Amino acid sequence: MAGGAPRIFVSHLAGVAVFDPNGDQVGRVRDLVAMLRVSKRPPRLLGLVVELSTRRRIFLPMTRVTGIESGQVITTGVLNVRRFEQRPTERLVIGEMLDRRVRLVESGEEVTVLDVAIQQLPARRDWEIDRVFVRKGRSSAFRRNKGETLTVDWSAVDGFSLEEHGQGAENLLATFEQLRPADLANVLHHLSPKRRAEVAAALTNERLADVLEELPEDDQIEILGKLKEERAADVLEEMDPDDAADLLSELPEEDKERLLALMQPSDAADVRRLMAYEDRTAGGLMTTEPIVLRPDATVADALARVRNPDLSPALAAQVYVCRPPDETPTGKYLGTIHFQRLLRDPPYTLVSAVLDEDLQALSPDAQLPEIAGFFATYDMVAAPVVDESGSLLGAVTVDDVLDHMLPDDWREQEFHLSGDVNHAD
């Protein structure tokens, strides 16, 4: 190895920004690509999987990397932005090597891979995986800090070339724990079906629900189908009712009814109510869990509800005032209060005094073009859905409108880029 050449553990590279020579960010590191070699030779590091701002994943050869330091990767000015496609002889270092069970050659003891280290070869731009950080004993979510840890040479372990069944995912998830659900969903989408199922199994119900909402339909169905039915029902309960309804509607009737029967009655009732409406209508797009207040509530009460970190920005942008009951379907819908208005009035002000009563509500049968026109006309990010009796049924948010207006595979598409882009220009 090169004297003084830095050794870098790959967990420190996950999510690191990639810059061109001018200092402009071109993307972030999502994984590393290596090729296993025979005779205990350390794997050669071929390059990095870089996610561009457009969410396209490209391959950045290590020969184009001029520096890895201070939490950033520096590249030459030219990037090939063709979509990354993994070859059969290649291994994703973070996605496939972390959490593997391998054996120490000397003792035969089984250990879990927590991390691997890369180092640059002397006088060249070639890189190798030369060290493996492992933990002795069985690893699990409940025993994560148990067992002796040690760093060994690559040649001191055996088993990376074998397919492993039941590979864990704790260390992979630790590497990406700060990702937003949409970004973690993108990571899952690019894993093999086997690793996708293992990672899904390791996520909490709440985290998995958030990620499922961001995945393409085929991935959603695949993951849900590999969960035990009781857990699948628990995850569906954690999802927004409209997203759960969309997912269940794609399942065979038997599977759908079985999962609904396993869900909590109140959650199942919300989902069934949404499934009764036609797709691409306000009733089919709405969520049944907007912020609803009684007319005697105060601005302070409204702001306390808006602060809920579990609310999406669109749902937190406005509150709806209704006569009891204050859960959908409500009593008489009285009006809407926009978040900006809440910031302008004293905390003790009654919400009934600051209502926007002129904003027309959507009918549950309103079609997608009408809904989109409403959002465009009034510059809204959410809209109330009210039935003929005047009861608030739910709210449509702009993200759900966009989901249905974009192509079915929009999550897998990006801006049209092709060929080489010279970022140095």
Side-chain angles (χ1 to χ4, degrees):
M1 294 296 171
R7 178 175 288 112
I8 303 167
F9 282 92
V10 300
S11 62
H12 297 163
L13 287 177
V16 164
V18 180
F19 295 91
D20 69 14
N22 291 333
D24 295 324
Q25 184 174 334
V26 297
R28 290 189 178 275
V29 176
R30 289 307 182 207
D31 215 319
L32 299 87
V33 183
M35 179 179 291
L36 299 181
R37 297 192 283 192
V38 298
S39 303
K40 301 293 183 183
R41 295 175 63 195
R44 181 186 172 208
L45 189 64
L46 303 178
L48 309 176
V49 179
V50 176
E51 184 175 291
L52 305 179
S53 59
T54 60
R55 299 187 69 179
R56 177 188 289 251
R57 291 189 167 209
I58 67 168
F59 177 70
L60 175 63
M62 293 307 294
T63 54
R64 298 275 181 90
V65 175
T66 58
I68 301 178
E69 54 189 23
S70 303
Q72 61 185 11
V73 175
I74 309 298
T75 76
T76 62
V78 179
L79 293 179
N80 186 318
V81 294
R82 286 193 293 272
R83 185 193 297 274
F84 167 67
E85 296 289 347
Q86 185 180 359
R87 297 172 180 172
T89 56
E90 297 172 344
R91 295 290 182 273
L92 295 177
V93 178
I94 295 174
E96 298 177 9
M97 289 188 176
L98 300 193
D99 300 296
R100 283 192 69 91
R101 298 289 294 173
V102 296
R103 293 186 181 277
L104 297 176
V105 173
E106 186 174 340
S107 65
E109 183 177 1
E110 197 173 57
V111 294
T112 300
V113 177
L114 305 182
D115 210 341
V116 298
I118 61 174
Q119 193 170 41
Q120 190 171 16
L121 298 178
R124 294 158 58 186
R125 287 192 180 180
D126 284 348
W127 292 71
E128 287 183 343
I129 297 176
D130 70 328
R131 296 291 179 89
V132 187
F133 182 50
V134 300
R135 176 186 291 123
K136 294 183 177 181
R138 276 283 173 186
S139 176
S140 73
F142 304 103
R143 301 178 66 243
R144 193 164 174 180
N145 296 320
K146 302 294 184 180
E148 178 188 357
T149 58
L150 63 159
T151 302
V152 298
D153 289 335
W154 176 268
S155 59
V157 296
D158 189 29
F160 277 102
S161 61
L162 303 175
E163 182 177 352
E164 181 179 2
H165 299 285
Q167 183 178 351
E170 290 82 9
N171 297 293
L172 185 150
L173 290 175
T175 304
F176 291 114
E177 64 184 351
Q178 300 302 321
L179 290 182
R180 294 174 179 267
D183 294 325
L184 182 54
N186 203 28
V187 171
L188 258 68
H189 177 66
H190 288 88
L191 293 176
S192 67
K194 169 183 173 293
R195 282 304 273 152
R196 195 153 47 232
E198 290 161 349
V199 172
L203 289 170
T204 64
N205 290 345
E206 183 178 1
R207 181 72 159 157
L208 180 55
D210 290 341
V211 171
L212 278 179
E213 292 174 1
E214 304 294 339
L215 280 169
E217 182 181 288
D218 290 345
D219 289 346
Q220 289 182 329
I221 295 171
E222 173 198 303
I223 291 173
L224 197 72
K226 291 182 179 178
L227 301 177
K228 292 183 178 179
E229 287 188 341
E230 291 78 7
R231 192 189 177 207
D234 292 340
V235 171
L236 287 166
E237 290 171 1
E238 295 290 344
M239 294 176 70
D240 288 340
D242 54 323
D243 291 307
D246 288 343
L247 176 50
L248 283 170
S249 66
E250 300 300 324
L251 301 181
E253 192 66 27
E254 285 185 14
D255 296 342
K256 177 174 62 180
E257 289 301 325
R258 192 160 53 245
L259 289 171
L260 283 167
L262 291 170
M263 293 172 65
Q264 292 291 329
S266 59
D267 293 318
D270 283 343
V271 173
R272 288 184 186 277
R273 184 152 57 90
L274 291 171
M275 293 172 66
Y277 294 104
E278 290 184 17
D279 193 21
R280 302 169 74 84
T281 64
L285 298 179
M286 69 182 179
T287 177
T288 58
E289 299 177 345
I291 302 176
V292 180
L293 294 171
R294 300 185 183 193
D296 58 352
T298 64
V299 166
D301 296 327
L303 288 172
R305 294 285 298 277
V306 166
R307 290 191 189 99
N308 182 352
D310 293 331
L311 286 174
S312 69
L315 278 180
Q318 56 199 48
V319 300
Y320 306 102
V321 179
C322 306
R323 299 198 186 282
D326 49 6
E327 292 184 1
T328 58
T330 66
K332 180 177 175 56
Y333 166 72
L334 300 176
T336 297
I337 309 175
H338 306 285
F339 175 62
Q340 286 181 320
R341 180 61 191 266
L342 293 173
L343 297 176
R344 293 199 298 264
D345 285 277
Y348 53 79
T349 306
L350 293 180
V351 293
S352 56
V354 292
L355 286 178
D356 181 349
E357 300 175 275
D358 297 328
L359 182 68
Q360 184 178 357
L362 292 169
S363 160
D365 297 321
Q367 298 293 313
L368 188 59
E370 180 184 345
I371 301 167
F374 177 94
F375 278 84
T377 301
Y378 298 107
D379 297 324
M380 302 292 288
V381 294
V385 181
V386 176
D387 65 13
E388 292 181 352
S389 69
S391 297
L392 179 72
L393 301 178
V396 176
T397 55
V398 67
D399 56 306
D400 289 319
V401 176
L402 289 174
D403 276 351
H404 286 75
M405 294 188 71
L406 291 168
D408 290 341
D409 61 347
W410 70 266
R411 287 185 174 88
E412 302 175 59
Q413 295 182 350
E414 27 348 62
F415 298 120
H416 296 293
L417 299 171
S418 59
D420 286 340
V421 175
N422 191 330
H423 290 275
D425 291 343

